[in-house]
Amino acid sequence: MKTFLFYDVETSGLNPAFDQILTFACIRTDPGLNEIKRQTITIRLRKDIVPSPQAFLTHGLTFDELSCGINEYEAALKIHKILNTPDTISLGYNSLGFDDDFLRFLFYRNLLDPYTHQYANGCSRMDILPITVLFRIFQKDSLNWPHIDGKPSLKLDLISRENNFVTTGRAHEALNDVEAVIELSKKMFFQKDIWNYSLDFFNKTRDEIRINNINKTLNIQNTPFRHCIMMSASFGSKSNYMAQVIHLGSSLAYKNQSLWLRLDSDDILGINAGLDIKETFVLRKKAADALIVLPALERFLDKLSEESRQTVRENIMKIGSHKENFFKFIQYHLNYKYPFIPDMDPDAALYQDGFFSFKEKQEINLFHQTFSNLILTNLNPDKTKTINKIKSQRIKILANRILARNCNNISGHTDQTEYRQHVNRLKSSMEKDHIIGYRNDIKFNRRQGLDDLETTRQSLLNPDQETKSMLGWLKKYIEAL
């Protein structure tokens, strides 16, 4: 039987490659949303992580709570097993836009397959936020919708409060948010037609079939294109979370990505600003992701403002007047490859280095067989002679980092020098300015943490005692790193 695994994570910051999941909460339900089991996993802060003050002021996790947690490696094993339970549909609120990235990097740096929970053993993923967008647009009477300063909001805590959802914890606490997502889902579940219709957007085969069945009604220089409507929370309430788009085709470099041009742009193709083609962008969609595509039917177009529709009409005429630019634009983006980042930190190399090879998987299995009990039971030196058998450089680096992060002592290790180098690298990362991530971004370091803490403290006009205590322990913790 298929089951839903509603989950939420709280993290040390916003960077999925360099920050850390601190709590993972989940509730498994049957297809009718009846609870089967719930679980919360709390994880100790790693010593190579500088916590973000903003993140901690949001979720409110304390040092005492985290100190009672388990190490990251043990947590990764547990969470991977939960998500990979056969026939599990894992889902949350903006889970495809945030949580799932954190899970993939958690699994990757702990030498677990980052992707099996998406497709293997009948498992798959969903996201309740895009379904909420659908209901907000087409079934507005189904819920009470919150506003902030007169503008519509899709924030989960506000929707929960506006609709009097019954939850057991504080807002932004992982398990509390999971309960809120289930309550929200139940409201939408009772409208079976649109609920079941929405589920198919998260089935790769059905999502692709739906898009491929949309007629190509827009002709540019005798070339037909699909003219569609795309919906996303990221488009914002001003556009009613919708945009008219043209389907440009599939990426030649990344076969799982389809490319789309947003037609309501203020400057289509960068024509007005005379942008270089390298400065333009497209929307990239993967099958069954958080971007929902519908045909550009009048009953859907009616949900867009007349101003937006007029902009689209004008932009289609501009494209027709700049056909050569348009087709050059298409070819550039169809052939585009993400730039190689030569100095990327191994923790962040999930996408650049790609899937684990068959040989790497064998070495990964050897690592887990040798070291998992060692780490979970706080070392058994007699089992530490296998690390030198690992030939893959990235697997050896990640393996040594797992040991450095999760073991207090590694006596008996056959490569003490290499292991100690990894311990020292992790410690020195607190001060370095140039630990580079997959977005060519920089890992949050100790100096930035202290600066951010002081900026945050000064911005709070009248902090309560709980906030003062939070800032106090964060300052001591970051200074001691």
Side-chain angles (χ1 to χ4, degrees), residues 205-314:
T205 301
R206 292 171 187 164
D207 189 34
E208 287 177 337
I209 289 173
R210 279 181 174 175
I211 292 172
N212 290 335
N213 284 341
I214 296 174
N215 292 329
K216 297 181 178 181
T217 57
L218 183 62
N219 275 279
I220 299 173
Q221 200 170 328
N222 298 319
T223 303
F225 291 89
R226 290 187 179 90
H227 176 197
C228 305
I229 292 174
M230 186 176 283
M231 291 180 292
S232 172
S234 65
F235 294 164
S237 60
K238 185 177 179 180
S239 66
N240 200 22
Y241 312 104
M242 305 169 72
Q244 293 188 62
V245 293
I246 298 176
H247 182 208
L248 303 177
S250 296
S251 168
L252 298 175
Y254 311 103
K255 300 299 184 184
N256 63 340
Q257 294 184 5
S258 59
L259 307 185
W260 304 78
L261 172 63
R262 190 166 170 173
L263 287 172
D264 60 353
S265 167
D266 290 335
D267 186 7
I268 197 77
L269 308 180
I271 291 169
N272 294 345
L275 294 181
D276 185 277
I277 198 166
K278 294 178 181 178
E279 299 176 284
T280 62
F281 71 95
V282 293
L283 297 167
R284 292 176 176 265
K285 172 177 166 55
K286 298 177 182 178
D289 68 3
L291 296 171
I292 289 178
V293 175
L294 296 173
L297 302 178
E298 193 60 37
R299 66 177 183 273
F300 301 147
L301 293 170
D302 280 346
K303 302 296 182 179
L304 291 163
S305 70
E306 179 53 35
E307 179 184 2
S308 172
R309 296 180 68 174
Q310 179 59 31
T311 299
V312 169
R313 288 191 287 267
E314 292 172 358

Side-chain angles (χ1 to χ4, degrees), residues 193-416:
D193 289 346
I194 191 168
W195 172 261
N196 290 330
Y197 183 77
S198 299
L199 299 191
D200 280 351
F201 286 114
F202 302 98
N203 179 298
K204 286 188 176 182
T205 301
R206 292 171 187 164
D207 189 34
E208 287 177 337
I209 289 173
R210 279 181 174 175
I211 292 172
N212 290 335
N213 284 341
I214 296 174
N215 292 329
K216 297 181 178 181
T217 57
L218 183 62
N219 275 279
I220 299 173
Q221 200 170 328
N222 298 319
T223 303
F225 291 89
R226 290 187 179 90
H227 176 197
C228 305
I229 292 174
M230 186 176 283
M231 291 180 292
S232 172
S234 65
F235 294 164
S237 60
K238 185 177 179 180
S239 66
N240 200 22
Y241 312 104
M242 305 169 72
Q244 293 188 62
V245 293
I246 298 176
H247 182 208
L248 303 177
S250 296
S251 168
L252 298 175
Y254 311 103
K255 300 299 184 184
N256 63 340
Q257 294 184 5
S258 59
L259 307 185
W260 304 78
L261 172 63
R262 190 166 170 173
L263 287 172
D264 60 353
S265 167
D266 290 335
D267 186 7
I268 197 77
L269 308 180
I271 291 169
N272 294 345
L275 294 181
D276 185 277
I277 198 166
K278 294 178 181 178
E279 299 176 284
T280 62
F281 71 95
V282 293
L283 297 167
R284 292 176 176 265
K285 172 177 166 55
K286 298 177 182 178
D289 68 3
L291 296 171
I292 289 178
V293 175
L294 296 173
L297 302 178
E298 193 60 37
R299 66 177 183 273
F300 301 147
L301 293 170
D302 280 346
K303 302 296 182 179
L304 291 163
S305 70
E306 179 53 35
E307 179 184 2
S308 172
R309 296 180 68 174
Q310 179 59 31
T311 299
V312 169
R313 288 191 287 267
E314 292 172 358
N315 280 337
I316 290 175
M317 291 178 65
K318 282 184 181 179
I319 290 172
S321 300
H322 295 80
K323 297 184 183 74
E324 186 176 347
N325 286 359
F326 176 63
F327 285 98
K328 283 182 180 178
F329 172 90
I330 293 175
Q331 286 306 309
Y332 172 78
H333 287 289
L334 289 179
N335 287 283
Y336 178 82
K337 291 183 179 180
Y338 300 121
F340 180 79
I341 302 173
D343 298 320
M344 186 188 300
D345 186 82
D347 279 355
L350 166 62
Y351 302 130
Q352 183 161 289
D353 288 356
F355 297 107
F356 294 130
S357 68
F358 176 75
K359 181 63 177 176
E360 285 179 320
K361 288 181 180 179
Q362 289 181 314
E363 294 183 338
I364 286 169
N365 288 336
L366 179 64
F367 172 83
H368 289 305
Q369 289 166 10
T370 304
F371 289 100
S372 61
N373 286 336
L374 179 150
I375 296 171
L376 301 182
T377 59
N378 201 21
L379 297 183
N380 180 350
D382 294 338
K383 294 182 178 180
T384 59
K385 296 182 179 180
T386 309
I387 198 80
N388 282 343
K389 295 181 181 179
I390 297 175
K391 303 304 179 186
S392 165
Q393 187 62 19
R394 72 161 164 171
I395 302 304
K396 182 171 283 192
I397 290 172
L398 294 174
N400 272 296
R401 288 188 176 192
I402 292 171
L403 297 174
R405 286 167 173 152
N406 297 282
C407 299
N408 297 322
N409 168 18
I410 200 72
S411 59
H413 194 292
T414 58
D415 193 350
Q416 285 284 304

Side-chain angles (χ1 to χ4, degrees), residues 6-254:
F6 290 88
Y7 76 93
D8 186 55
V9 301
E10 302 299 345
T11 65
S12 64
L14 298 177
N15 190 312
F18 293 140
D19 280 303
Q20 179 190 8
I21 293 176
L22 299 175
T23 57
F24 173 89
C26 62
I27 297 177
R28 191 178 295 276
T29 76
D30 65 17
L33 306 185
N34 301 299
E35 182 173 335
I36 298 172
K37 183 181 179 180
R38 62 175 58 198
Q39 189 171 359
T40 298
I41 296 171
T42 303
I43 307 169
R44 293 195 296 270
L45 261 173
R46 297 194 336 244
K47 289 298 183 180
D48 59 319
I49 294 289
V50 179
S52 161
Q54 291 299 324
F56 275 78
L57 287 177
T58 298
H59 54 59
L61 290 168
T62 67
F63 181 76
D64 289 342
E65 288 176 296
L66 296 175
S67 297
C68 295
I70 59 180
N71 67 49
E72 186 186 75
Y73 177 73
E74 182 178 358
L77 294 176
K78 289 177 179 288
I79 296 169
H80 195 264
K81 184 177 180 180
I82 291 169
L83 265 74
N84 283 276
T85 300
D87 295 317
T88 294
I89 303 171
S90 54
L91 69 167
Y93 196 78
N94 194 29
S95 51
L96 296 183
F98 183 81
D99 308 64
D100 199 64
D101 259 348
F102 268 87
L103 290 172
R104 284 199 293 266
F105 279 99
L106 168 70
F107 297 153
Y108 177 73
R109 67 175 169 266
N110 286 284
L111 294 177
L112 300 167
D113 194 299
Y115 298 107
T116 48
H117 67 287
Q118 301 178 197
Y119 68 89
N121 301 313
C123 295
S124 60
R125 304 172 303 161
M126 280 179 49
D127 192 335
I128 292 300
L129 177 55
I131 299 177
T132 305
V133 170
L134 271 172
F135 274 79
R136 176 69 177 78
I137 296 169
F138 298 112
Q139 295 289 329
K140 224 172 175 182
D141 295 337
S142 58
L143 288 156
N144 297 320
W145 300 101
H147 290 74
I148 299 177
D149 298 328
K151 297 178 181 179
S153 172
L154 293 173
K155 287 183 177 292
L156 178 63
D157 58 328
L158 298 182
I159 292 175
S160 178
R161 187 174 65 193
E162 195 74 21
N163 291 275
N164 299 313
F165 293 161
V166 178
T167 57
T168 59
R170 63 176 184 261
H172 301 296
E173 187 179 50
L175 191 59
N176 178 84
D177 286 355
V178 174
E179 292 175 334
V181 175
I182 293 176
E183 289 299 303
L184 172 60
S185 299
K186 285 179 178 178
K187 288 280 189 180
M188 299 186 289
F189 175 79
F190 288 120
Q191 300 188 52
K192 295 284 189 182
D193 289 346
I194 191 168
W195 172 261
N196 290 330
Y197 183 77
S198 299
L199 299 191
D200 280 351
F201 286 114
F202 302 98
N203 179 298
K204 286 188 176 182
T205 301
R206 292 171 187 164
D207 189 34
E208 287 177 337
I209 289 173
R210 279 181 174 175
I211 292 172
N212 290 335
N213 284 341
I214 296 174
N215 292 329
K216 297 181 178 181
T217 57
L218 183 62
N219 275 279
I220 299 173
Q221 200 170 328
N222 298 319
T223 303
F225 291 89
R226 290 187 179 90
H227 176 197
C228 305
I229 292 174
M230 186 176 283
M231 291 180 292
S232 172
S234 65
F235 294 164
S237 60
K238 185 177 179 180
S239 66
N240 200 22
Y241 312 104
M242 305 169 72
Q244 293 188 62
V245 293
I246 298 176
H247 182 208
L248 303 177
S250 296
S251 168
L252 298 175
Y254 311 103

Side-chain angles (χ1 to χ4, degrees), residues 462-469:
N462 190 26
D464 57 26
Q465 188 55 47
E466 186 177 348
T467 300
K468 290 178 181 178
S469 297

